[in-house]
Amino acid sequence: PPAIRCHPWHACHPCHACHACHTGTLSSSQHVEADEYHRLMSEPNTVIIDVRNAYESAIGHFQPPPGGAELLDPKMRNSHEFPKWINAPETREKLQGKKVMMYCTGGIRCERATALLDQLEKASSAEGGDFKTEGVVMVRGGIERYVKTFPEGGFWKVRRPVLEPQP
């Protein structure tokens, strides 16, 4: 396969991006089944990042149980805002030493986000810094598989529209 020679968050040549994203070679993330992902949301010292845009997040998102993972919502209008958010000192502080769970719709944004996180950790190490997480976990099959595994919803919360009473 061709080597990727671009920033992981920006558009690459289609042959590079497609191969990397569809084979999972772009990042170091661990893919787990929905039931394991559900269990991990109950663990302390864990954060969960919604890598989708703010509109998608407002419609539905994971809400970990009390005492479990901390939900981090970058509140992005689009994915080009993610690098600035993840590189901010306050975000790095929340990620430091934690297990990082990510989710998105189809997996490609999570793979790219994980690759960026990998780069930040390597750059920190090369510069003598200590920024390090306890690894990244994603749900295999994304939100769709999670909801199929937990038909009652599990920790997935959907915003319900408020219906006006009919006359």
Side-chain angles (χ1 to χ4, degrees):
I4 298 176
R5 298 175 196 249
C6 61
H7 190 280
W9 201 258
H10 298 120
C12 301
H13 298 290
C15 60
H16 296 205
C18 291
H19 174 78
C21 293
H22 293 294
T23 60
T25 58
L26 188 61
S27 74
S28 65
S29 61
Q30 176 188 7
H31 297 253
V32 298
E33 295 300 330
D35 56 343
E36 175 68 4
Y37 196 81
H38 182 84
R39 186 189 69 72
L40 290 170
M41 279 191 264
S42 296
E43 291 188 0
N45 206 39
T46 302
V47 295
I48 183 166
I49 302 173
D50 188 343
V51 186
R52 301 168 308 145
N53 65 49
Y55 173 77
E56 293 169 298
S57 297
I59 293 171
H61 62 275
F62 282 111
Q63 186 58 57
E70 176 188 0
L71 176 66
L72 301 180
D73 183 358
K75 296 181 179 14
M76 301 178 290
R77 286 188 331 229
N78 60 57
S79 59
H80 296 290
E81 296 174 357
F82 189 79
K84 181 179 178 183
W85 177 82
I86 201 163
N87 202 28
E90 57 273 12
T91 303
R92 284 182 173 217
E93 184 178 318
K94 288 183 178 190
L95 300 177
Q96 178 66 34
K98 306 262 177 83
K99 178 176 297 214
V100 178
M101 300 174 71
M102 291 190 189
Y103 69 95
C104 56
T105 306
I108 292 175
R109 287 180 279 188
C110 290
E111 289 289 345
R112 289 180 174 174
T114 303
L116 180 59
L117 188 55
D118 289 347
Q119 282 187 348
L120 292 175
E121 288 183 0
K122 288 176 187 168
S124 174
S125 178
E127 295 168 0
D130 64 351
F131 176 66
K132 183 95 174 108
T133 68
E134 293 299 315
V136 178
V137 177
M138 291 187 285
V139 61
R140 184 174 282 119
I143 296 165
E144 182 179 355
R145 177 141 345 139
Y146 181 89
V147 171
K148 284 181 180 177
T149 304
F150 295 94
E152 76 290 349
F155 295 131
W156 181 252
K157 304 300 176 207
V158 179
R159 187 179 87 193
R160 306 266 188 239
V162 176
L163 302 174
E164 294 290 325
Q166 298 298 316

